[in-house]
Amino acid sequence: MLSPRFLLLRSAVSLSCRSFCSGGASKPGRAPDMIEVRNRLREIVGASTNWSDHQQAMADRVSLSSMLAKSQQDLPARRMKDSYLEVHLPLGSEPQLREKYLTFHNTVRFGRILEDLDSLAVLISYSHTYNSALKRSPLSIVTALVDKIDMRHHVIYPDCDIKFSGRVTWVGRTSIEAKMHMSQYRDGAYAPVLDATFVMVARDPENKRAAFVNPLKADGPEEEKLLQEGEANKSRRVELSTASLLKVAPTDDERKIIHSLFLNTLDTNTVSFRSRVLPPNSVWMEDAKLKGLEICHPQERNIFNRIFGGFLMRKAYELGWANACSYGGCRPNLVAVDDILFQKPVEIGSLLLLSSQVCYTQGKYIQVRVHSEVFDPLTRQHNTTNVFHYTFISDRDVPNIIPKTYGESMLYLDGKRHFNQTVEP
Ligand SMILES: CCCCCCCCCC(=O)SCCNC(=O)CCNC(=O)[C@H](O)C(C)(C)COP(=O)(O)OP(=O)(O)OC[C@H]1O[C@@H](n2cnc3c(N)ncnc32)[C@H](O)[C@@H]1OP(=O)(O)O
């Protein structure tokens, strides 16, 4: 008999997903795994399995444009339970799968978990927008933002089964908020590991223009609360982007912090603005960078023939982790991920430059920002595609990071803002 942890909570959605992708159906009575999730996604959009067929697959999708709703009111409202999904990652029971997830230190590669969360968020969004009258979805659903990932348990064990669950908790006109949870089976029960909130955006079949998504109806006070939180999240995002240090000056308090850091680095012998001295137990920001390059091969493509967002998150996470590790001098644990912005799609064949910077420190905490940009070697143009923010904790106090230039001071303040948002004072 199957153990209860293998049993799928059968919602209308998991069934609807199954009829969406008959070929990728999961075994009866068992939650789908990540391979099935990705196979379903390929079927939902009609993605090519071979790169040589990708142009034909994209051309086939163009004809689906006529299936798009002209307005959101034309689409039936959905409940949260309609998009509820559970997915199983059998690390405990399938040792061959474990290899893909294993770190040298016998923990789970968090970058792989980011990939899984991304795929799940997309399938949840397709479940919300499912139309039984259509064989394929005309929507191209992409990841716009990883709003937040809160770690509730720092260690993920490589030999225990994992369960993901999630559903749509808020929708705009063309955007969808999906909340997901991950738990791990230990000592006879599933214990929470992390909570994640992603924002997905629906686009037309060619991924060129925004497309409407089904409205969402709350069922009962708990769902009402989730909807209100989604609305508040949207307002918070707008506020944050308006107050971005790339647009407006820092607040009075922030200016005082920067000035005090500056005064701390003045050379008392020369009393000059130009000669700067690194205070004890500190590191200049310019000495806390780590860079990497990825050549974006077809293997890493998503269902829309762009680079898979989860792959970008994994690469950025691993670079950020290595930087935090080198900075703190020991292996750090992840505390939170927040505000990962997918500004532009990354095309297959791109040269992707990743640059990580320790931008804020406090006690044992290390805040790392990873910036990614595509570089066109022919025109020599650089274009930012993503910005990632990770908060790590070391097992000992780390040196203070000190900005030298005005630009670095803004990175420091931005890092502090992210830190304060993710870690309770
Ligand atoms: C093969 C197996 C793999 C299976 C896995 C499949 C996974 C597929 C998922 C992916 O991998 S996607 C790849 C990673 N993501 C991207 O490449 C997206 C890159 N970014 C973009 O293309 C654009 O920035 C984006 C489409 C997200 C937004 O474009 P615009 O800024 O022009 O959007 P627009 O102004 O038209 O706004 C559309 C909606 O997006 C919302 N929006 C835009 N940026 C946002 C943001 N940063 N945060 C929250 N919401 C945002 C905006 O509020 C609005 O919502 P509402 O209509 O509901 O009001």
Side-chain angles (χ1 to χ4, degrees):
M1 205 177 89
L2 287 168
S3 106
R5 64 183 195 271
F6 284 85
L7 292 178
L8 165 64
L9 275 185
R10 278 165 184 268
S11 68
V13 164
S14 47
L15 291 173
S16 65
C17 276
R18 201 161 303 159
S19 42
F20 225 144
C21 349
S22 47
S26 50
K27 292 173 191 118
R30 168 161 102 40
D33 60 24
M34 277 299 159
I35 296 169
E36 288 163 320
V37 166
R38 291 186 181 122
N39 285 341
R40 283 180 188 186
L41 285 172
R42 283 195 191 94
E43 292 198 40
I44 287 167
V45 300
S48 63
T49 38
N50 295 318
W51 176 242
S52 53
D53 302 333
H54 82 279
Q55 274 171 335
Q56 185 56 46
M58 289 310 277
D60 292 347
R61 271 183 70 67
V62 175
S63 61
L64 297 173
S65 293
S66 58
M67 311 293 176
L68 290 171
K70 302 278 177 294
S71 80
Q72 195 173 27
Q73 287 70 42
D74 293 345
L75 294 165
R78 292 282 151 79
R79 309 272 178 177
M80 290 188 194
K81 66 173 192 245
D82 294 331
S83 58
Y84 181 79
L85 278 181
E86 275 192 14
V87 173
H88 183 225
L89 184 64
L91 292 184
S93 39
E94 286 184 22
Q96 69 281 18
L97 177 70
R98 203 177 299 155
E99 286 288 303
K100 186 178 162 189
Y101 285 81
L102 196 64
T103 71
F104 172 67
H105 305 282
N106 207 34
T107 56
V108 167
R109 292 171 66 180
F110 190 73
R112 289 276 183 227
I113 301 294
L114 289 172
E115 291 183 324
D116 291 347
L117 287 169
D118 197 26
S119 301
L120 180 61
V122 183
L123 188 59
I124 287 172
S125 306
Y126 275 115
S127 304
H128 174 81
T129 54
Y130 173 61
N131 178 349
S132 59
L134 302 178
K135 197 164 164 269
R136 300 218 187 289
S137 172
L139 299 176
S140 305
I141 297 182
V142 299
T143 317
L145 178 77
V146 177
D147 191 57
K148 213 168 181 345
I149 300 179
D150 277 326
M151 298 303 291
R152 295 174 63 180
H153 197 282
H154 289 317
V155 183
I156 311 176
Y157 304 95
D159 50 359
C160 300
D161 284 2
I162 284 176
K163 187 172 72 181
F164 295 96
S165 63
R167 59 187 167 165
V168 169
T169 48
W170 175 86
V171 299
R173 284 178 338 123
T174 65
S175 59
I176 291 177
E177 181 190 84
K179 278 197 193 296
M180 292 165 288
H181 308 281
M182 179 179 131
S183 51
Q184 189 158 40
Y185 194 76
R186 293 203 75 218
D187 303 327
Y190 274 100
V193 175
L194 64 80
D195 303 320
T197 308
F198 280 44
V199 180
M200 317 303 290
V201 170
R203 318 272 294 163
D204 68 13
E206 293 178 87
N207 197 353
K208 285 191 173 152
R209 272 183 293 274
F212 295 110
V213 298
N214 300 61
L216 179 66
K217 228 182 193 168
D219 217 356
E222 190 228 340
E223 291 193 6
E224 231 6 290
K225 192 164 161 260
L226 281 172
L227 259 187
Q228 281 164 14
E229 275 172 23
E231 206 57 54
N233 285 342
K234 171 151 192 177
S235 314
R236 175 178 50 83
R237 278 179 220 121
V238 173
E239 254 170 53
L240 280 177
S241 94
T242 327
S244 161
L245 291 164
L246 289 169
K247 293 182 193 159
V248 294
T251 64
D252 273 354
D253 283 348
E254 289 176 332
R255 272 182 263 216
K256 283 181 192 143
I257 292 171
I258 291 306
H259 200 68
S260 146
L261 281 169
F262 170 71
L263 294 180
N264 253 338
T265 61
L266 284 187
D267 183 346
T268 44
N269 295 325
T270 56
V271 200
S272 143
F273 283 120
R274 293 181 66 185
S275 112
R276 311 277 297 270
V277 176
L278 186 65
N281 190 32
S282 303
V283 174
W284 290 121
M285 263 172 97
E286 64 189 4
D287 297 327
K289 293 180 204 276
L290 198 60
K291 299 194 178 202
L293 163 79
E294 286 299 324
I295 299 178
C296 298
H297 297 294
Q299 187 186 16
E300 308 304 344
R301 72 189 185 277
N302 66 16
I303 40 180
F304 315 114
N305 297 311
R306 300 296 194 14
I307 291 294
F308 171 38
F311 169 79
L312 300 172
M313 282 194 269
R314 169 159 68 85
K315 288 292 167 188
Y317 168 77
E318 289 180 352
L319 184 71
W321 182 89
N323 197 5
C325 187
S326 132
Y327 187 83
C330 63
R331 289 172 43 230
N333 280 317
L334 180 72
V335 177
V337 176
D338 94 303
D339 206 20
I340 293 183
L341 196 58
F342 289 87
Q343 277 169 243
K344 284 202 179 90
V346 177
E347 303 293 340
I348 310 294
S350 302
L351 297 183
L352 187 73
L353 305 178
L354 292 158
S355 174
S356 77
Q357 167 81 67
V358 173
C359 54
Y360 182 73
T361 51
Q362 189 172 308
K364 294 179 175 161
Y365 290 101
I366 307 170
Q367 184 72 34
V368 179
R369 178 184 196 269
V370 183
H371 174 263
S372 73
E373 58 186 21
V374 288
F375 169 62
D376 184 334
L378 306 180
T379 61
R380 308 202 72 75
Q381 272 192 337
H382 291 251
N383 268 308
T384 297
T385 54
N386 302 77
V387 183
F388 308 83
H389 301 273
Y390 301 104
T391 311
F392 294 97
I393 189 164
S394 181
D395 62 9
R396 60 193 84 145
D397 280 359
V398 297
N400 301 313
I401 194 84
I402 308 285
K404 206 186 254 176
T405 64
Y406 189 77
E408 285 174 352
S409 301
M410 295 306 103
L411 279 178
Y412 180 93
L413 291 178
D414 190 55
K416 185 174 187 318
R417 286 183 185 183
H418 282 285
F419 177 78
N420 289 346
Q421 260 188 70
T422 53
V423 179
E424 311 260 39

